[in-house]
Amino acid sequence: MGKLIGIFLLALALCHLSHSEQDWWENGNFYQIYPRSFKDSDGDGVGDLNGVNEKLEYVKDIGMKGVWLSPIFQSPMADFGYDISNYTKVQPEYGTNEDLLALTERAHSLGLHLILDFVPNHTSDEHEWFQRSVANDSYYRDFYIWHDGVINSTTGERQPPSNWISQFRYSAWEWNEQRQQYYLHQFGVKQPDLNYRNPNVVEEMNNVLRFWLARGIDGFRIDAVPFLFEVEIDPQTGTYPDEPLSSDISTCPDPDDWCHLNHTFTNSLPEDIEIIYQWRELVDQWTSEHNTDTKVLLTEAYTSFENLMHMYGDGLRNGSHVPFNFEMLAGLNNKSSASDYDYYVHHWLSNMPKGVYANWVLGNHDNPRLASRFGAQRADLMNIFLQTLPGIAVTYNGEEYGMENGYVSWEDTVDPQGCNADPTTYLQYSRDSERTPFLWDNTTNAGFSTANHTWLPIGQSYADNNVAAQLAAENSHLKIFKQLTQLRQSEAAFIDGSYVSVVVKNVLVYIRAAETGDKYIVVLNIGDENVSLNLGTLFDDLSAKLEVVVSSLHSDIPNGQIVNANSFEAKAYNGYVLRLTN
Ligand code: NOJ
Ligand code: MG
């Protein structure tokens, strides 16, 4: 058996709960739908709400409890819905408000909970608030961050008030002719940042939350939390302070790139967390006043670990139910070792505050797909990992069947982050590849749409590999995924069992054990070499025989096969879920 290179034990003392005693979101399985690419019901080449509605049974069938939709509100689509021009109206190409209500009802009738994307940091420049702000209407004048700019002492020319850079490259300040001032946009030029130091802005946004809560929505995924507040203007200079260069500009040499600066004045301010607490209070209050199912908050924040822990609450006040855990998403790649995986799990589990749930996010519409990031041969392993960890799992649509990044040519590129680059570099920036349409079956456009032209090309071959084919096959990524979500729902070990891990060579092994005594061992061979394991020496009280309940597609072990704990062969890139037999 391989040399033991690291043992780290962590027994989580969780009180025993059956699934029925848990609230709907606790330990939940969340699914992110990118509606534009999920299913087009009306043949215009763009996915829509009725398309999602048609496919809700699929979502239920793969074991989900909660669904969050990327934004579906009225928008000029400069950032595909993350630029909203009306927060309470559905974008016509996605359907109507009635369609959304019908979708909510249908979700509820299937036992699913529906979560909307709340984009509070910025509106579209076509939002009425911005237009009125531009026009200097008194109530709206300070809804956004405006500044005259500064005069350059050498050239005598007017220039932006600070060196701040947009996430989508170039200056974060844009000159507005009509108002004769610069406005701040931390994302695209068409996404002006709201001014959260104006209480009217906060109240308007609270009303947006209340509007959707009143329509039965079950919670919100909150966009771009670290960008909500910026430092206040410096009274001495009358302007905003420049941000320092990033401590490691060698990894980000291009001065137009966001990563070139250290965003001390525009990112992850304490006020960002404070407002999450306020929004939590708002949804909690709603829940208790209206006696509804718990309304949840999921927060999107690429920020420090300390901030993420803080996002949960401060001991006195609660914050986000699900502060998205992007540690692994940001920290793991196809070179990572089993110890790296192990580190991230323990890091979260051993630092999160008492009384909250861990959560795990491996992919979303802003990052390359799992199969492309970790290699297609690890597609099942990543899903086994995600679905067998303690806490909440978040799956980006398509990952359940091992979907890969789609190819999108420069000509077909539409993501502003890609378009702001050039034909030679756009692939580094563009997020279109992880947003290509869902592959339902082998008909035209993979069953996504009957249109001649889809908003993004169908990104990969789908003749033999699609949802229908995987459902029909004897075994497939999708079937494996369904077995995993089933285990999560039915087995106490996965509902609230303890977690104890060991790293052997490049293999991460962990036990999930329920108080009732039921135990499962998960073996993840992250590496590219087969490893023979003596599992009996790794854990106490292990039975000599183990049953393989699920494993990667290419493991060559049928489910139900009994294996010897003392000589278990873990194939390179493969994952296994083993049950202790008595
Ligand atoms: C994060 C979203 O996930 C991303 O897609 C979007 O471009 C930015 N926030 C701006 O809203
Ligand atoms: Mg459509």
Side-chain angles (χ1 to χ4, degrees), residues 9-69:
L9 304 181
L10 181 93
L12 286 175
L14 296 173
C15 60
H16 180 72
L17 293 167
S18 77
H19 232 220
S20 56
E21 288 166 86
Q22 286 189 336
D23 201 353
W24 71 267
W25 61 275
E26 295 171 347
N27 254 346
N29 234 330
F30 285 86
Y31 191 60
Q32 178 192 354
I33 291 183
Y34 194 74
R36 219 176 158 74
S37 294
F38 197 58
K39 172 73 189 172
D40 172 19
S41 72
D42 59 0
D44 63 355
V46 173
D48 44 55
L49 292 177
N50 287 337
V52 174
N53 199 327
E54 267 176 45
K55 296 295 185 182
L56 268 194
E57 246 152 55
Y58 166 81
V59 176
K60 164 93 180 163
D61 186 48
I62 61 172
M64 294 300 138
K65 287 274 176 284
V67 177
W68 73 268
L69 301 179

